[in-house]
Amino acid sequence: MNRRDFERDALAICSLTITDLRVAEEEEAAHMPITNPHVKSLRKHPGLGYMFTPSLWITINPGDIHDPILQVFAGKEIDMNNFNAKLGPDNVHHASNVA
């Protein structure tokens, strides 16, 4: 969505009702042009015009202090081919290696 279109599109999204979307769906199913100007303008945006579902983007950053790959980067000799998480130093030693 372009910045210049934001206010117009925000108004269009806020003013839409379920009825508007259902009418547009029926018009599209009947291969008729969509008559609602707000739905018509939103169809120009990829992801908005065809899918009115919310999206969620998240990043999960697990604690990397205990990551064996980070331990290797910190200079510790770890045989990644025979790695066993139960063996080796405890959490305190992992943290001090990275620090």
Side-chain angles (χ1 to χ4, degrees):
M1 182 176 296
N2 294 328
R3 184 181 297 255
R4 61 184 161 80
D5 298 331
F6 179 79
E7 287 185 22
R8 182 195 68 215
D9 294 338
L11 176 65
I13 290 170
C14 290
S15 66
L16 283 176
T17 64
I18 297 294
T19 305
D20 294 336
L21 296 175
R22 287 192 176 136
V23 168
E25 178 185 26
E26 291 168 4
E27 290 172 341
E28 188 173 59
H31 303 287
M32 297 170 50
I34 293 180
T35 56
N36 186 305
H38 296 303
V39 175
K40 193 184 299 186
S41 70
L42 290 174
R43 288 194 52 163
K44 296 176 186 175
H45 297 289
L48 282 180
Y50 296 101
M51 300 170 62
F52 286 98
T53 58
S55 298
L56 175 66
W57 287 273
I58 61 171
T59 302
I60 299 174
N61 294 320
D64 58 358
I65 292 175
H66 311 295
D67 184 359
I69 296 173
L70 185 63
Q71 298 294 317
V72 171
F73 289 146
K76 295 299 169 186
E77 294 292 326
I78 297 176
D79 183 4
M80 295 304 290
N81 293 323
N82 297 313
F83 179 75
N84 185 343
K86 302 283 184 198
L87 302 174
D90 61 8
N91 294 342
V92 174
H93 286 96
H94 285 183
S96 66
N97 290 341
V98 174

